[in-house]
Amino acid sequence: MDQPQIKEGLPFPRGASWDGHGVNFALFSANAAKVELCLFDGRGEREVARIELPEHTDQIWHGYIPHIGPETVYGYRVHGPYEPDAGHRFNPNKLVLDPYAHAHIGSVKWDPAIFGYKLETQDDLTFDERDSAPFVPKCIVVNHDFDWKGQPCRHPVPWDRTIVYETHVRGYTKLHPGLPEALRGTFAGFAHPEVIGYLKSLGVTSVELLPVHTFVDDGYLLDKGLVNFWGYNSIGFFAPDPRYASDSGQTLREFKEMVARCHEAGLEVILDVVYNHTAEGNEYGPTLSFRGIDNANYYRLLPDQPRYYINDTGTGNTLNISHPRVIQMVTDSLRYWAEQTFVDGFRFDLGTILAREPNGFDNQSGFLKACSQDPVLGTVKLIAEPWDCGPGGYQVGAFPPGWAEWNDRFRDAVRDFWRGHLPARELAPRLCASPEQFDHQGRRPWACVNFVTAHDGFTLNDLVGYNEKHNEANGEDNKDGHSDNRSWNCGAEGPTDDPGIQRLRERQIRNFLGTLLLSQGTPMMLAGDEFGRTQRGNNNAYCQDNEISWVDWQIGDKGKRLIDFTEKVTALRQKYPMLRHNRFLRGIYDEELEVKEVTWLNANGSEMEPEHWADDKMQCFGMMLNGLSQQTGIRKRGQEATLLFVLNAHHEAVNFQLPTFGDAAKWSLLVDTNVLEGNASGSFLAGEQYLVTDRALLLFVLEGS
């Protein structure tokens, strides 16, 4: 290939942009002395041209090459000082990825040449002259034209109707018997009618996908025959990972097709995104992108020792979201996914990092301000994981209006209650969307994202089947993963043939699902919990790309019963607005409307008194949701159904007296988790006693309401 002609080009937009006649390249680096664009053959194996970017405008290096276009493979070599003690780690011998690349080819090969220093010395102050290009992925220029087959707009699900379903593209589809073999484990497989139809029938509204951004398999995992299965090790924030494509050359198109098929079915797509760190690790990590482009600005470094990285993420480095160009990169990435692929929202891994300034967490941080005013990001769902491992990292409820947050207090309280370790007074606020955390600044109950299980930890089946974690397959002597699981195996560790334990475990799974789906706030389910998926007691399966993590679709009778139960409860949540009230339930009598929106009941059907709340052994209680309560800011009575939610975590059955309510005489049973076959039903007089099985959950609706 002859050396291409180059023109000045423009500093915006960042990345590689094809205009139909050529490609503009633009790269931010405040401390570089020179930037070389490297072009490769179509396989990314042979460097065919090296061109110095001619212009440097406002810290952006740029140039325009005519007569090249989509599918051009490229990377950068960035020149500048190699002074680790000053925070600079430029090494032009290392080919680096464009942070704005929209597609990649190839993968990281863990050769010593990918490190900026001489790996053999274990001294990061040394300088390595080996060429890393044969061992690192490359970038691809893309054509963003895509036929969306109609209007490519989202159809947002209202927050109060949202039911999130967390899953993994590969793990969810790898063993699916209804998919062609070639599509299993891919975006195309996830878009298949078999998968979409099942999700729709289950009653979930919003699919939350574990990271799909291009990520790196850690060298230490590969050495053990393992991989970074979950994908929380990003190296490219604008590109879907080609390992999830049935045709890696069409990864972006296949991802867009998946989103389009979900939207056709009325399902939202939410991406789990990792903007808190990158795959480059600490000072001993490889040079793959950001480190070699402008280490001192992309990462948070120790102020008095910039050779070293601030590690608020626990992964070796922390992205410097205080820098305006880094904020711009992250918000550009979010807008790209929202505008070009039409995803419906984002869940931010270790979200506290994004609100960190040099002085710590700040809910008025530059990044949060940028999001709050952004007209595009204001149209999608923003969900924070509101903690990290840095100082003051636990910030549940502290994010600003407009954000939803994972609520681990719901998880812990519900787990403890159903294993008999928590009294009613501790669970009650969790059933009401944790108002002490979230009821401020006009936030709504939906801001509280409730969950009992997630990708990190036990599945629901394992939560009721194991007292201890069993992570031996991870190769860390079972020392990894949380030991405080708040689980209870119901009498036997792991699988058992004991019919009594099996029945109790199934009822406990129903109790957890019922509590999650019938509580105020936004529920999030873990994929497969609705039919009892197991990870064999592994509570940290991040490295298991095998049957431990893959969803087993060989669903038996128990699984089918659980699916039926889940479908019923998701339908009830949508049917009865009081289960997803748009105002926080305060339990205060409204004298003007003569209504109390929630009344707490003890087993004799009377209202809970202070001495009942103080009783540490109070594990059976009721929650009556008054359908006459005010539904909006308009001061008037509601016209919804009145519901009674009864929970008994006691180890013995309890006679619960159904309360009186106005002139209504009867309660209809909607849910009883002790009824394993068929649907719970029946009509019962107010004042009548109902025998609540030990460890069971009930839901009634007031007839005529």
Side-chain angles (χ1 to χ4, degrees):
M1 178 177 180
D2 296 333
Q3 189 77 354
Q5 176 188 2
I6 189 164
K7 298 182 178 181
E8 295 81 359
L10 298 171
F12 185 86
R14 231 73 74 228
S17 306
W18 180 58
D19 62 5
H21 305 284
V23 179
N24 190 82
F25 295 90
L27 180 74
F28 160 72
S29 180
N31 293 297
K34 182 173 72 171
V35 174
E36 292 177 309
L37 171 69
C38 301
L39 303 181
F40 289 81
D41 64 15
R43 297 170 61 90
E45 296 175 350
R46 182 172 59 88
E47 186 175 331
V48 296
R50 188 177 301 188
I51 312 111
E52 181 178 345
L53 293 183
E55 289 289 356
H56 183 211
T57 305
D58 296 333
Q59 301 180 333
I60 309 297
W61 300 81
H62 56 94
Y64 178 91
I65 301 180
H67 310 306
I68 65 171
E71 301 187 12
T72 298
V73 180
Y74 73 101
Y76 290 111
R77 298 181 188 273
V78 184
H79 298 253
Y82 189 83
E83 300 171 0
D85 282 331
H88 301 307
R89 295 179 180 270
F90 294 99
N91 187 336
N93 299 293
K94 312 305 166 184
L95 189 81
V96 292
L97 292 168
D98 180 356
Y100 277 72
H102 295 118
H104 294 137
I105 185 172
S107 59
V108 172
K109 300 177 178 63
W110 287 90
D111 186 273
I114 70 175
F115 295 84
Y117 64 97
K118 296 178 181 178
L119 181 65
E120 295 83 355
T121 68
Q122 287 299 296
D123 180 2
D124 66 298
L125 298 179
T126 59
F127 184 80
D128 188 84
E129 297 183 352
R130 287 170 285 195
D131 182 10
S132 70
F135 310 104
V136 295
K138 317 298 188 299
C139 309
I140 306 175
V141 177
V142 303
N143 178 0
H144 286 292
D145 288 345
F146 179 77
D147 180 7
W148 285 95
K149 297 180 180 177
Q151 292 297 319
C153 57
R154 295 184 297 270
H155 300 284
V157 177
W159 264 113
D160 67 306
R161 289 187 172 273
T162 299
I163 301 174
V164 180
Y165 189 79
E166 189 198 42
T167 189
H168 186 285
V169 169
R170 178 171 169 83
Y172 198 65
T173 60
K174 184 62 179 173
L175 297 178
H176 200 298
L179 302 183
E181 185 70 33
L183 299 187
R184 295 181 184 180
T186 70
F187 297 129
F190 201 90
H192 194 277
E194 286 277 344
V195 174
I196 299 292
Y198 171 75
L199 292 170
K200 191 67 177 174
S201 68
L202 195 60
V204 300
T205 68
S206 309
V207 177
E208 183 175 300
L209 301 177
L210 266 66
V212 300
H213 289 171
T214 303
F215 64 93
V216 173
D217 286 319
D218 312 75
Y220 77 92
L221 289 177
L222 295 175
D223 290 343
K224 295 192 293 184
L226 303 171
V227 297
N228 192 317
F229 178 68
W230 287 348
Y232 290 95
N233 205 28
S234 300
I235 198 60
F237 299 127
F238 291 79
D241 198 296
R243 75 189 78 190
Y244 295 147
S246 60
D247 178 358
S248 61
Q250 297 295 321
T251 301
L252 180 58
R253 180 170 293 274
E254 193 169 313
F255 177 84
K256 290 181 177 180
E257 289 278 5
M258 179 194 70
V259 175
R261 301 294 79 77
C262 287
H263 284 175
E264 284 178 356
L267 294 169
E268 292 185 315
V269 177
I270 297 172
L271 300 185
D272 194 335
V273 289
V274 189
Y275 297 113
N276 56 75
H277 75 283
T278 78
E280 292 185 302
N282 63 16
E283 60 272 14
Y284 294 111
T287 297
L288 304 173
S289 181
F290 310 92
R291 172 176 283 131
I293 295 171
D294 197 341
N295 184 71
N297 282 314
Y298 274 113
Y299 293 115
R300 293 193 187 278
L301 309 177
L302 291 177
D304 54 345
Q305 292 182 294
R307 173 184 176 184
Y308 303 107
Y309 296 76
I310 292 174
N311 187 22
D312 289 334
T313 63
T315 59
N317 66 51
T318 304
L319 212 58
N320 182 17
I321 306 294
S322 296
H323 193 282
R325 290 302 187 200
V326 183
I327 291 178
Q328 183 182 37
M329 178 187 70
V330 174
T331 53
D332 283 351
S333 169
L334 294 170
R335 279 190 298 272
Y336 169 77
W337 291 99
E339 291 184 306
Q340 290 292 328
T341 73
F342 291 92
V343 300
D344 302 274
F346 306 94
R347 178 267 186 186
F348 295 83
D349 179 61
L350 300 183
T352 301
I353 292 291
L354 303 176
R356 279 191 182 274
E357 297 292 1
N359 61 341
F361 176 83
D362 183 352
N363 72 357
Q364 294 297 311
S365 71
F367 174 76
L368 293 181
K369 286 179 179 177
C371 289
S372 68
Q373 61 76 46
D374 192 287
V376 173
L377 300 184
T379 67
V380 299
K381 290 182 167 72
L382 303 177
I383 305 170
E385 181 186 35
W387 51 77
D388 64 31
C389 66
Y394 187 78
Q395 295 292 336
V396 172
F399 275 69
W403 284 75
E405 304 171 42
W406 276 23
N407 184 11
D408 63 331
R409 296 188 183 188
F410 180 93
R411 175 198 65 194
D412 294 346
V414 172
R415 289 185 178 196
D416 278 343
F417 179 78
W418 284 114
R419 67 185 180 129
H421 288 202
L422 198 77
R425 69 172 180 273
E426 300 293 339
L427 182 65
R430 308 301 153 236
L431 304 179
C432 296
S434 299
E436 73 277 25
Q437 265 79 49
F438 294 97
D439 187 7
H440 59 85
Q441 297 180 285
R443 301 182 80 181
R444 299 286 185 162
W446 57 255
C448 171
V449 177
N450 297 322
F451 65 103
V452 178
T453 56
H455 65 276
D456 186 2
F458 279 147
T459 65
L460 202 49
N461 183 85
D462 294 354
L463 186 67
V464 303
Y466 294 90
N467 283 349
E468 308 295 336
K469 63 184 180 181
H470 295 269
N471 298 353
E472 290 81 6
N474 295 357
E476 299 181 40
D477 298 323
N478 204 33
K479 295 177 181 178
D480 63 303
H482 291 294
S483 296
D484 181 21
N485 294 291
R486 304 172 190 241
S487 61
W488 177 48
N489 65 19
C490 300
E493 189 73 356
T496 178
D497 294 328
D498 186 309
I501 294 177
Q502 289 178 344
R503 185 178 178 87
L504 175 57
R505 286 178 177 177
E506 184 174 342
R507 187 161 73 249
Q508 285 284 72
I509 291 175
R510 290 166 178 257
N511 291 337
F512 282 119
L513 288 171
T515 308
L516 174 66
L517 291 166
L518 299 176
S519 293
Q520 305 296 306
T522 301
M524 184 190 78
M525 298 172 54
L526 174 63
D529 276 354
E530 73 277 9
F531 53 78
R533 179 177 79 91
T534 181
Q535 290 183 167
R536 307 172 192 173
N538 192 319
N539 76 346
N540 190 35
Y542 76 102
C543 55
Q544 300 294 333
D545 186 11
N546 51 45
E547 287 82 357
I548 291 176
S549 291
W550 299 342
V551 173
D552 184 356
W553 290 95
Q554 301 302 314
I555 300 171
D557 291 340
K558 167 191 164 184
K560 293 174 182 176
R561 290 193 299 268
L562 288 172
I563 289 174
D564 289 343
F565 176 81
T566 303
E567 291 176 350
K568 177 176 182 177
V569 179
T570 57
L572 289 173
R573 181 178 181 86
Q574 301 294 8
K575 180 177 180 179
Y576 294 111
M578 286 305 298
L579 296 174
R580 44 185 175 82
H581 203 44
N582 209 25
R583 299 164 62 86
F584 282 97
L585 304 176
R586 295 181 172 88
I588 300 172
Y589 183 74
D590 187 321
E591 293 186 0
E592 179 185 348
L593 300 181
E594 299 180 324
V595 168
K596 191 174 187 178
E597 79 270 69
V598 59
T599 302
W600 302 98
L601 306 169
N602 64 25
N604 65 14
S606 61
E607 187 166 357
M608 295 268 276
E609 299 292 342
E611 60 268 24
H612 300 139
W613 287 119
D615 186 355
D616 288 339
K617 296 182 180 179
M618 173 64 74
Q619 293 178 320
C620 180
F621 69 106
M623 177 186 185
M624 186 166 64
L625 300 168
N626 189 341
L628 301 179
S629 61
Q630 182 179 338
Q631 300 296 307
T632 69
I634 298 173
R635 296 283 295 161
K636 67 176 184 179
R637 279 188 168 204
Q639 297 180 332
E640 304 299 343
T642 292
L643 301 167
L644 175 63
F645 194 18
V646 179
L647 304 95
N648 178 26
H650 200 260
H651 64 274
E652 294 181 347
V654 174
N655 277 310
F656 195 97
Q657 184 170 320
L658 300 177
T660 58
F661 185 88
D663 297 329
K666 292 185 178 181
W667 293 91
S668 292
L669 180 64
L670 300 175
V671 173
D672 181 345
T673 55
N674 186 49
V675 178
L676 301 187
E677 301 288 351
N679 290 322
S681 61
S683 183
F684 304 87
L685 293 172
E688 185 177 347
Q689 288 190 336
Y690 186 97
L691 184 63
V692 183
T693 309
D694 60 290
R695 300 188 178 90
L697 174 151
L698 311 174
L699 182 68
F700 296 87
V701 61
L702 193 69
E703 290 187 12
S705 66

